[in-house]
Amino acid sequence: MRYALAYGADAVYAGLPRYSLRVRNNDFDLKNLETGLQEVHAQGKRFYLTANLMPHGAKLRTFIADLEPIVALGPDALIMADPGLIMLVRERWPDLPIHLSVQANTVNAAAVRFWQTQGLSRVILSRELSLDEIAAIRDACPDIELEVFVHGALCIAYSGRCLLSGYFSHRDANQGACTNACRWEYKLTAESGAEPVGIEGERAQVRSGRERHPAADDSYLLEESNRPGEYMPILEDENGTYIMNSRDLQAVEHVSRLVEIGIDCLKIEGRTKSHYYAARTAQVYRAAIDDAVAGRPFRAELKVDLEGLANRGYTEGFYRRHAPAELQNYEEGVSRNQRRIFVGEVVFGADGWAEVEVKNRFAVGDQLELMSPEGNRHFQLEAMVTLEGEPLSVAPGAGWQVRIRAPQLGNRMSLLTRAL
């Protein structure tokens, strides 16, 4: 939360552990929520709370009582999806702002207007919309706030409505317990002695008009790495296969169009990510927004900065069906030698030296980047010593503290990365 705000975010959102899709790795108990809300409001920024699960009856019975002390803390809005829970909140707290979660899968202007009649102040549109469809909704609904996702993990079903986790692990996505089964490691092997799926002598035509590959009609088995010996048949038709890992959303090149359309908020999905991830994405999308508002053209180096983050490959999702030829050089991101890895936190800096809490290996001679909320500086590491002043050529990894020669930037929440 602190790094996201320091590097340019206007607001943060946090899941209520029992009533959101952020059950795992969620430290926002009542005490931490109070601390977070106080810090955010002290900066004049906003703190939204998600209560966007689709509850079974047991959670329904405890919902209002559990929400009482949290609403008393003064969140700026609740992010919700279930109509029943929304009704209960409207009855108990009629003036509390509610934003409709992406989990509600809102894909048209009529649905936006419906939720507006229910008193909601903002709709977070489905990830499955194109830029032109978003523009049409904005034109048809000019007097309600609209929000869209621009970066982060994508589901392989309509946002969050996936059965894989419940099927494999008995942990349902809509209850906030998704195990991300779509992102597990699978092996695909031909089924021994299997009969071909297709009819001999006939080949389906794919939608592009090209002839379907003969191997696509064979039978295959899928095996997940932690479930050896458990084979699942997997078939491919003209649309492709289905149990596959989605790439991560990256839409930084579309920020200017979204600003032009009049979208009120751009949202980054950062669940279970590091503070470095929060800092870098906030910094990059803040810069993209500022450029768009000032009328400056898109800078390709913003995509370079996002390459160093943990990702499963990038896609622009449904924003464009086909990228124009002049943007093809973007699709591979950048040359690999420009990618970066997070290597340390700068905890102190003075007289040209910075004290670093090491997170990953780096060495004298490496090309480093010093990130800070005030800006970034690239430099080659020329000298490094231990805290006792002994010369050091390599910082091996996490657990080490060293001092390095570094450019002078603001000391507040600075991070160090290394070029790969």
Side-chain angles (χ1 to χ4, degrees), residues 94-328:
D95 297 325
L96 179 63
I98 297 176
H99 296 172
L100 188 70
S101 171
V102 72
Q103 298 300 316
N105 304 137
T106 306
V107 294
N108 61 70
V112 172
R113 291 198 299 270
F114 167 80
W115 289 110
Q116 191 174 12
T117 65
Q118 305 306 304
L120 275 64
S121 58
R122 179 183 296 184
V123 171
I124 304 167
L125 296 175
S126 175
R127 292 181 177 97
E128 289 74 26
L129 292 172
S130 70
L131 289 166
D132 289 342
E133 289 174 313
I134 292 170
I137 292 173
R138 173 80 288 173
D139 290 342
C141 306
D143 53 351
I144 186 173
E145 293 183 359
L146 298 178
E147 179 176 308
V148 298
F149 275 88
V150 291
H151 199 93
L154 291 173
C155 295
I156 64 165
Y158 256 75
S159 297
R161 301 197 176 202
C162 179
L163 295 175
L164 286 181
S165 178
Y167 177 79
F168 283 128
S169 308
H170 304 292
R171 290 173 56 178
D172 294 333
N174 282 337
Q175 301 303 306
C178 181
T179 58
N180 299 120
C182 61
R183 301 182 183 107
W184 294 345
E185 180 184 355
Y186 295 93
K187 293 188 294 185
L188 190 65
T189 57
E191 182 177 3
S192 177
E195 292 295 325
V197 175
I199 301 174
E200 187 63 31
E202 295 184 7
R203 297 297 178 200
Q205 297 292 313
V206 297
R207 291 180 179 177
S208 66
R210 292 181 289 109
E211 185 177 357
R212 181 172 166 78
H213 193 286
D217 289 325
D218 292 341
S219 297
Y220 296 91
L221 298 173
L222 203 62
E223 180 186 14
E224 201 274 318
S225 60
N226 291 321
R227 291 167 172 77
E230 296 183 22
Y231 297 103
M232 298 168 282
I234 181 168
L235 311 177
E236 180 178 279
D237 64 11
E238 66 274 11
N239 297 311
T241 54
Y242 303 101
I243 308 178
M244 290 292 168
N245 182 352
S246 172
R247 293 184 179 187
D248 289 345
L249 176 64
Q250 177 191 264
V252 65
E253 67 266 42
H254 299 310
V255 167
S256 60
R257 175 77 192 282
L258 292 167
V259 169
E260 177 187 341
I261 289 170
I263 294 302
D264 296 279
C265 184
L266 306 183
K267 190 167 192 171
I268 294 167
E269 196 281 322
R271 176 171 47 184
T272 69
K273 298 296 195 298
S274 68
H275 56 302
Y276 167 59
Y277 186 99
R280 179 70 86 182
T281 52
Q283 185 184 59
V284 167
Y285 282 90
R286 173 82 274 154
I289 292 170
D290 292 344
D291 285 347
V293 171
R296 293 187 291 266
F298 173 68
R299 292 179 288 140
E301 57 264 31
L302 295 179
K303 297 195 76 166
V304 175
D305 289 338
L306 294 172
E307 283 295 323
L309 297 174
N311 68 83
R312 302 176 181 89
Y314 283 128
T315 175
E316 57 185 43
F318 294 88
Y319 283 126
R320 284 185 305 181
R321 295 297 181 181
H322 304 288
E326 63 268 21
L327 294 184
Q328 287 304 310

Side-chain angles (χ1 to χ4, degrees), residues 330-358:
Y330 292 164
E331 301 311 310
E332 290 298 324
V334 294
S335 60
R336 293 184 180 273
N337 64 358
Q338 291 179 290
R339 296 184 178 181
R340 314 194 70 84
I341 185 173
F342 171 48
V343 296
E345 297 176 11
V346 179
V347 296
F348 177 77
D351 302 325
W353 288 86
E355 186 173 315
V356 178
E357 184 81 29
V358 179

